Amino acid sequence: MSSDLVRLAHSWLAQDPDPETRAELAALLEGGDQEELRERFGAKLEFGTAGLRGELGAGPNRMNRVTVMRAAAGLARVLGPGRHVVIGYDARHKSDVFAHDTAAVLTGAGLRASVLPRPLPTPVLAFAVRHLGADAGVTVTASHNPPRDNGYKVYWGDGSQIVPPVDAEISAAIDAVGQVSDLPLGSPADPAWTTLGDDMVAAYLKAVTALPIGDARGLRVAYTPLHGVGGATLAGAFEAAGFEAPAAVEAQAVPDPDFPTVAFPNPEEPGAMDLALELARDVGADLVLANDPDADRCAVGVPLPDGGYRMLTGDEVGALLGEHVIRQTSGDGRLVATTIVSSSLLGKIASEYGVRYAETLTGFKWIMKAGDGLVFGYEEALGYSVGSDAGLPVHDKDGIGAALTVAGLAAQAKLDGRTLLDLLDDQARRYGLHATSQLSVRVDDLSLITGAMARLRATPPVELGGREVESADDLSEGSAGLPPTDGLRYRLSGGARVVVRPSGTEPKLKCYLEVVVPVTDEIADARAQAVRDLDALKTDLSAALGL
C-alpha cells in the first residue's frame, strides 16, 4: 500500500470527530484497500460557486464533518470576526450535524451564527439572510442528488449564492486550514450562537403570500415533496394564502433521507412523479405540484382532456410565470432574466411589454446578478424566483413561492373556464411555438467530454436538423455581458438554437435544443412539427458529438 496514502489517512483519522467515519477509515486501513483509499485521498472536493457536494464518507474527497469544518473555517477567515452567518439544513443524512459543526466553528472563530430551528427549505435560508441583515448564509443540502450525497452551499449578504471571486477566496482560505482538531469551537450555550424560532418561517410565509397570486382560490392540488423538507412549509403557504390544503402523496410526505420510493429524487427524472400523478387521477386534481428535496425547485403537471396528466417543462412554466409577473407588476425599470440554455421566449414576452430582459450563464447565482429591478428570473431546470412591485422576496430559486404563484394562475384560469394549457396555446399563437428539449450523454471517462468539445470547436457543424448554422459562439472566450464558460452556442435558421456544455455537477455532456414554429393553423400541427424538428436536431447533434 502506498505510504503516502497511509500517511494521509492516518492524519485524517487523527482529527476526525465522527465515530462513524473514523470506523470506516480504520477498516479501510486495516483491510489494505488501496483503491478505496486512493479514491478518497487522491483528490478532494473542490469548493466552487456551488459550494461543496459529494458522497458521504471519510476523506477529503467525501462529504464529512472534517470537510465541513474546514469549509466553515475558510468562510470564517474570509468574513472575519464579528460577522453574522445564518445556517440552514435539510433532512439528509448528517445535515443537522454539519449545520451545527458549522455554527461551532464560526462562533469559535468569533463570528455570530443563527441556526434555523429544524430542517427547512433552502429558500427559507436565502430569505433569512436578507431578513436578518446577515453577512452570509450556509445551507447544508445536496438538493436532488442521490441519498448517499450531501452538500454545502454558501450565500452572501444579498441573499444570493456566491459568485467569483468570492468562491476562490473561500477555497484558498480552506486550503490554509490546519487540523480541525485544533480549531476553537463554540457551543449552543455561546451567546454568539442563536437558534432561530418559527417566527422566521412566519416571516417567510408572509413574504411569499404577498406575491401576485390573484384572488381566485377554487383549485384542487395534488402535491409531493419527494421525501424532502418542503411539505409543511408549502402547506403553511397554501393555508396562509387561503387555498384548500393540497392532497399530499402519503408515501412521500415525511422527510426521509433514503428516498425509498424514487430511484432519483428529482422531479425531472423518469418515474419520480408517478405517485403524484396517480394521486392526481384519484382526487381529480386541477394541478399537480412537486418540490425537489430542499424545495428550491418546483415541478408542475396539468390535466389533459383525455383524463391523463402531463408535466410541463421548466421553459413552459417559466414563460407562464414570466408573463404573469410582468402583467401584475408596474414600473419602467423592471427586469426579467433567464439563462442562455433556457427558452428565448421570455425575451420576446419582455419585448412585447416593454420590459428589460437579460440572459445569463447557467445557475441561479448568475440570474440574481442580472441587474437592478429584477422582478422574475427562471432557469429551465425547474427553478423560479417570483417577485412583485416590492421586489424579489427570495434572491434565489424558490419552489414554494413558485408553487403558490402557479396555483393562483391556475385558479384564475379555472375561474375563467380555461386551463394552463390554454394559456400556453395563447402564447404560442402570439409569439410562435417555442419548443425545447435536451440531449444528455453520461460518461464514465470525463476525457470523452473534453474530446467531444474539442472536436466541435475544431470543426463546427454547418447544418443541424436541416437548418443552417448561422453563427457559432465559443462561450469560453466570453461575450457581451457573459463571463467565459465552457460551452458552445449555435444559432440556426428559423430561430432555432443549440447550446452544448459539460454539466457542472455530473459526468454529463448536456445539449439544450430549441426550435420556433410559427402557428398558422392548428396548434396541434405546430406541436407535431416541433417534435419532428427537435428529433432531427438530436439526430444530427448526436452524430456531431461522436459519443
Side-chain angles (χ1 to χ4, degrees), residues 10 26 105 112 252 260 270 275 412 423 482:
H10 277 292
V105 171
R112 292 193 297 131
Q252 298 173 335
L275 292 180
Q412 184 60 53
L423 301 187
L482 294 178

Side-chain angles (χ1 to χ4, degrees), residues 178-205:
Q179 296 285 92
V180 300
S181 51
D182 295 332
L183 293 172
L185 301 178
S187 75
D190 190 322
W193 181 329
T194 301
T195 299
L196 299 170
D198 284 339
D199 55 333
M200 181 54 60
V201 180
Y204 167 78
L205 293 178

Side-chain angles (χ1 to χ4, degrees), residues 104-485:
V105 171
L106 292 174
T107 52
L111 288 81
R112 292 193 297 131
S114 296
V115 184
L116 291 178
R118 59 183 178 277
L120 285 166
T122 290
V124 176
L125 178 280
F127 170 82
V129 172
R130 293 177 63 241
H131 185 72
L132 294 175
D135 299 290
V138 169
T139 188
V140 181
T141 179
S143 188
H144 53 266
N145 274 39
R148 65 181 181 273
D149 289 359
N150 213 326
Y152 196 84
K153 189 183 297 185
V154 177
Y155 292 76
W156 222 229
D158 62 353
S160 66
Q161 298 174 47
I162 57 171
V163 297
V166 173
D167 58 337
E169 293 172 9
I170 297 173
S171 181
I174 292 171
D175 290 341
V177 175
Q179 296 285 92
V180 300
S181 51
D182 295 332
L183 293 172
L185 301 178
S187 75
D190 190 322
W193 181 329
T194 301
T195 299
L196 299 170
D198 284 339
D199 55 333
M200 181 54 60
V201 180
Y204 167 78
L205 293 178
K206 181 179 179 181
V208 296
T209 52
L211 291 171
I213 55 179
D215 299 320
R217 293 293 183 269
L219 198 71
R220 183 172 297 161
V221 176
Y223 168 72
T224 177
L226 285 180
H227 299 293
V229 297
T233 306
L234 181 132
F238 270 63
E239 180 182 6
F243 283 99
E244 176 185 325
V249 176
E250 185 175 350
Q252 298 173 335
V254 177
D256 188 331
D258 293 318
F259 306 106
T261 67
V262 290
F264 203 91
N266 179 352
E268 292 182 290
E269 290 291 323
M273 292 298 298
D274 286 355
L275 292 180
L277 295 173
E278 180 182 327
L279 175 64
R281 287 189 290 270
D282 290 344
V283 303
D286 303 305
L287 186 70
V288 184
L289 295 171
N291 292 130
D292 66 339
D294 71 326
D296 63 350
R297 300 174 193 240
C298 176
V300 179
V302 293
L304 298 171
D306 64 5
Y309 286 82
R310 174 170 87 80
M311 299 305 297
L312 301 184
T313 68
D315 283 318
E316 288 175 323
V317 176
L320 289 175
L321 285 176
E323 187 159 22
H324 173 72
V325 171
I326 289 172
R327 284 176 169 173
Q328 298 298 319
T329 56
S330 60
D332 295 335
R334 287 172 297 163
L335 172 68
V336 295
T338 189
T339 70
I340 58 172
V341 302
S342 302
S343 172
S344 61
L345 175 54
L346 183 61
K348 294 181 181 177
I349 295 171
S351 177
E352 181 75 14
Y353 287 89
V355 170
R356 294 184 300 135
Y357 168 74
E359 282 187 356
T360 73
L361 296 183
T362 54
F364 234 83
K365 57 185 176 290
W366 296 114
I367 292 175
M368 290 299 103
K369 305 297 184 187
D372 295 334
L374 189 64
V375 293
F376 177 73
Y378 95 93
E379 61 182 0
E380 48 73 41
L382 310 185
Y384 318 93
S385 186
V386 179
S388 65
D389 283 334
L392 297 168
V394 177
H395 285 195
D396 194 23
K397 50 186 178 288
D398 178 5
I400 305 296
L404 199 60
T405 311
V406 168
L409 187 59
Q412 184 60 53
K414 181 182 178 183
L415 188 64
D416 296 339
R418 311 191 76 213
T419 68
L420 295 184
L421 293 178
D422 292 324
L423 301 187
L424 287 171
D425 286 348
D426 290 347
Q427 289 186 331
R429 294 187 184 96
R430 188 171 185 180
Y431 307 108
L433 175 62
H434 291 63
T436 57
S437 187
Q438 277 194 38
L439 172 65
S440 294
V441 183
R442 182 180 289 272
V443 300
D444 294 324
D445 181 359
L446 288 176
S447 68
L448 295 176
I449 291 178
T450 304
M453 294 295 289
R455 283 193 298 275
L456 288 175
R457 286 188 167 102
T459 312
V462 297
E463 183 179 277
L464 289 170
R467 297 169 181 260
E468 179 187 356
V469 177
E470 296 180 339
S471 67
D473 302 323
D474 187 346
L475 301 177
S476 67
E477 299 172 357
S479 60
L482 294 178
T485 188

